[in-house]
């Protein structure tokens, strides 16, 4: 009886919107003022200790297994919990006792392949034609997802102000779109690095289809193994995979592979006030070994790597919109996903996409673009940002 009372007290302080909760005993209670925007049905009692120790993992698994049903906007429910001061979701003790996660080259390979090698067919269902799995850049409110993803690629390359004929390395090159644009539109000799066999095969096939042999190369190897030097480095959505203990090494590797006065554009998820660190649900089911650093962490490593920060741009709302479009695309193919991968997998990805959108909406994570240059002298970049936007017209 006491635990049930404590359970209700816990949920009554969890959200800043009115929510109706139907408990496993059939009783429904409404928390907050007004008509409930979201209804939560708990089909099974979840131990209170589990709820308060690792809430995202426990609730995520319950949702995957159909033990929790949500009627209404799940993204808004999660964003509400993140906004609510004192919510059990925002006071997660797991992050205060962050475990060390090993990131040897073999372990990194396993982590990357467990996520990206689900199969190209799966990602093609909802990513769009560009097959870009990172924050898009919406120059106009009515940009389609595919247009916004190409906007992002151009935005990255324009920031570098690259010269035709020079060499670019893309660390964590995904399905290769940035490589293709760099070669076809900017005249660069582009090399990509990935640990995903699926992405590697896909990129190899596209290189042949586009006739880009000799202009684009993709390597199935760890970024730590790169020995050559490049005029430019890009890395999009990559540092989130290297692990807390390898962030310094990662930025030092970027510095090492750049020629003197070389430039790098590093794009990734981070936190402005505090990092998301390691989330137990995400680490177990979505991104094994992942770690979301703070801006301060990254800037410290950038300075230690003897790189110059030339520009820093937040794109939080762009990633929220990207995720919302991905989820909209995903909802259209849920029956197919259920058939091919099963109900729990389908619900897991539904939760993941909406929870990430909620995190960006609430502002507890962000995405940043770091424009970096390597010493010793001037950067060769214009004095103001105007050149970026002039090139985008």
């Amino acid at each position: 009886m006491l635990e049930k009372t404590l359970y209700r007290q816990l949920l009554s302080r969890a959200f800043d919107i009115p929510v109706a909760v139907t408990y496993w005993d059939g009783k429904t209670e409404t928390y907050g003022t007004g008509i409930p925007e979201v209804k939560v049905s708990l089909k099974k009692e979840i131990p209170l200790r589990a709820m308060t120790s690792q809430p995202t993992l426990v609730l995520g698994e319950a949702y995957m297994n159909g033990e929790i049903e949500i009627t209404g906007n799940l993204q808004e429910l999660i964003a509400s919990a993140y906004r609510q001061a004192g919510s059990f979701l925002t006071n997660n003790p797991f992050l205060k006792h962050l475990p060390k996660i090993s990131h040897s080259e073999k372990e990194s390979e396993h982590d990357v392949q467990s996520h990206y090698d689900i199969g190209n067919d799966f990602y093609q269902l909802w990513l769009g034609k560009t097959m870009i799995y990172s924050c898009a850049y919406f120059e106009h409110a009515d940009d389609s997802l595919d247009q916004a993803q190409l906007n992002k690629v151009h935005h990255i390359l324009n920031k570098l102000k690259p010269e035709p004929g020079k060499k670019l390395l893309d660390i964590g090159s995904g399905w290769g779109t940035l490589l293709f644009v760099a070669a076809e539109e900017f005249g660069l000799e582009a090399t990509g690095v990935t640990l995903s066999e699926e992405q590697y095969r896909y990129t190899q096939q596209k290189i042949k289809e586009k006739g880009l042999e000799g202009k684009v190369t993709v390597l199935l190897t760890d970024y730590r193994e790169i020995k050559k030097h490049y005029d430019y480095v890009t890395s999009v959505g990559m540092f989130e995979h290297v692990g807390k203990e390898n962030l310094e090494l990662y930025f030092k590797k970027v510095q090492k592979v750049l020629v003197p006065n070389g430039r790098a554009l590093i794009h990734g998820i981070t936190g402005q006030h505090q990092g998301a660190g390691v989330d137990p649900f995400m680490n177990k089911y979505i991104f094994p070994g992942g770690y979301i650093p703070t801006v301060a962490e990254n800037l410290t490593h950038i300075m230690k790597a003897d790189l110059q920060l030339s520009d820093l741009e937040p794109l939080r709302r762009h990633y929220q919109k990207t995720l919302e479009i991905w989820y909209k695309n995903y909802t259209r193919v849920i029956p197919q996903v259920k058939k091919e991968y099963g109900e729990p997998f389908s619900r897991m990805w539904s939760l993941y996409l909406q929870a990430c959108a909620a995190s960006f909406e609430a502002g507890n994570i962000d995405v940043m673009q770091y424009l970096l240059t390597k010493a010793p002298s001037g950067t060769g970049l214009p004095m103001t940002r105007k050149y970026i936007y002039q090139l985008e017209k």
Side-chain angles (χ1 to χ4, degrees), residues 291-349:
Y291 175 77
I292 305 298
T294 64
V295 174
E297 280 182 273
N298 279 346
L299 291 178
T300 297
H301 295 309
I302 286 166
M303 289 186 288
K304 286 183 177 180
D306 198 25
L307 289 163
Q308 303 275 346
L309 178 66
S310 296
D311 191 76
L312 180 62
E313 182 178 13
L315 298 174
R316 176 175 65 86
R317 290 185 297 164
H318 291 266
Y319 216 161
Q320 178 189 340
K321 185 169 183 177
T322 303
L323 282 153
E324 288 170 350
I325 296 174
W326 283 344
Y327 178 65
K328 185 177 179 180
N329 291 346
Y330 182 75
T331 58
R332 299 190 186 106
V333 298
I334 284 176
Q336 183 176 345
V337 174
K338 285 181 181 179
K339 182 178 179 181
E340 294 184 16
Y341 300 93
E343 178 84 15
F345 179 93
S346 169
R347 291 174 68 90
M348 177 182 75
W349 273 85

Side-chain angles (χ1 to χ4, degrees), residues 3 59 77-78 85 158 163 186 195 219 222 235 326 355 372:
E3 178 156 321
L59 293 173
L77 180 71
I78 297 172
N158 286 335
E163 299 175 23
F186 290 79
L195 286 173
L219 305 174
D222 193 281
S235 189
W326 283 344
L372 310 173

Side-chain angles (χ1 to χ4, degrees), residues 108 114 338 381 387:
S108 292
S114 69
K338 285 181 181 179
L381 292 172
Y387 77 96

